[in-house]
Amino acid sequence: QDVFSTISNRSAKLSEISCEEKLKYIQESITQKEILLKSSGEFMAVCNHRFEFDFLNRAGRTLLGFSEENNTKTFVDFIKEKKYFTDEIVPKVMQKNGWIGELTIHTENRVFPATCKVIPFSSLQEGFYLIVRDITESKEAIQKLVGAKNRAENNMMVRQQFLAKISHEIRTSMSAIIGLSNLLIEKGLKGDKLEFADAIKLSADNLL
């Protein structure tokens, strides 16, 4: 939306200057807007109320694979979720609300997810500015992160299960050693034998 704010920022000044200066301001604003649109590395377009392209910059043409054969297509023709867009989104933007969200773009060569920003004209003229961004790489990065997270969680679960099993095995063995140590001590061992039995029981108790 900042890209298209040049004209509106100067509108307050127009009432105080002559017609010739007004025309100069408007021409300069239009020229600046066209330069920004054409040179931007992002898909930018101007559409009428039927979403037919009045202007599509180079990045947009590249993204859609726009050619002479398909230059009559509208933006809606490239959207996979056509019914959702026309039934849910278009009524919102027609009320000058604007919209930003995710759509699936379908061209002749590929299908890819994209964020789309629809900005209605601020004037009485019906039409929209479009800003579209291919988020394939972002989606793939998120999927990799989710996959890494799931693998880490799975590894942690396996580790916990392993430790729980080992702990159970150790506790079972130690319980037997403690029980046998108690039996030996109760038999009335003396001297070194009693010390050895006490040491065994103490070590087993510490492990538990």
Side-chain angles (χ1 to χ4, degrees):
Q1 218 164 356
D2 294 339
V3 175
F4 310 105
S5 63
T6 308
I7 295 176
S8 60
N9 288 341
R10 296 186 176 183
S11 60
K13 300 178 182 178
L14 296 180
S15 60
E16 304 173 3
I17 58 179
S18 66
C19 291
E20 184 177 340
E21 289 175 321
K22 286 181 182 179
L23 181 59
K24 183 180 178 181
Y25 270 121
I26 291 172
Q27 288 174 337
E28 288 177 356
S29 298
I30 291 173
T31 300
Q32 290 174 5
K33 183 178 71 173
E34 288 179 347
I35 291 172
L36 286 169
L37 284 169
K38 290 177 180 178
S39 62
S40 174
E42 288 190 344
F43 175 121
M44 288 189 176
V46 179
C47 298
N48 61 22
H49 66 283
R50 293 186 296 272
F51 284 91
E52 296 169 338
F53 293 108
D54 290 335
F55 170 82
L56 180 62
N57 70 352
R58 184 180 300 175
R61 289 178 175 275
T62 301
L63 195 64
L64 296 181
F66 223 60
S67 62
E68 294 300 324
E69 289 73 23
N70 64 11
N71 62 6
T72 58
K73 287 187 175 181
T74 68
F75 177 63
V76 180
D77 292 329
F78 291 96
I79 300 174
K80 189 175 182 180
E81 307 91 343
K82 289 182 176 59
K83 182 173 176 56
Y84 165 69
F85 187 80
T86 55
D87 293 352
E88 302 289 335
I89 306 307
V90 172
K92 292 180 182 178
V93 296
M94 286 296 186
Q95 296 172 7
K96 304 295 183 181
N97 291 328
W99 179 81
I100 183 169
E102 187 175 319
L103 295 171
T104 304
I105 303 299
H106 191 292
T107 69
E108 292 180 358
N109 299 321
R110 57 191 289 250
V111 178
F112 59 91
T115 55
C116 177
K117 191 172 186 179
V118 184
I119 308 166
F121 291 166
S122 57
S123 63
L124 295 176
Q125 183 182 3
E126 290 186 350
F128 311 97
Y129 299 113
L130 293 176
I131 302 175
V132 180
R133 178 178 295 173
D134 183 352
I135 56 172
T136 301
E137 292 183 1
S138 299
K139 286 280 190 179
E140 290 175 351
I142 290 172
Q143 289 176 353
K144 288 180 180 178
L145 288 173
V146 171
K149 175 177 174 289
N150 291 337
R151 287 192 297 273
E153 290 177 347
N154 184 61
N155 290 339
M156 181 64 70
M157 185 181 300
V158 171
R159 180 185 177 190
Q160 289 174 344
Q161 291 173 346
F162 172 77
L163 291 176
K165 183 176 181 180
I166 292 298
S167 177
H168 173 73
E169 298 295 333
I170 291 175
R171 291 178 68 86
T172 301
S173 302
M174 288 299 103
S175 296
I177 292 172
I178 291 171
L180 291 172
S181 300
N182 286 330
L183 287 175
L184 289 173
I185 293 170
E186 290 173 0
K187 289 291 184 180
L189 295 176
K190 295 180 181 180
D192 292 343
K193 293 181 180 180
L194 180 59
E195 290 182 8
F196 294 154
D198 285 333
I200 292 171
K201 183 177 182 304
L202 180 62
S203 298
D205 287 334
N206 289 335
L207 283 174
L208 290 178

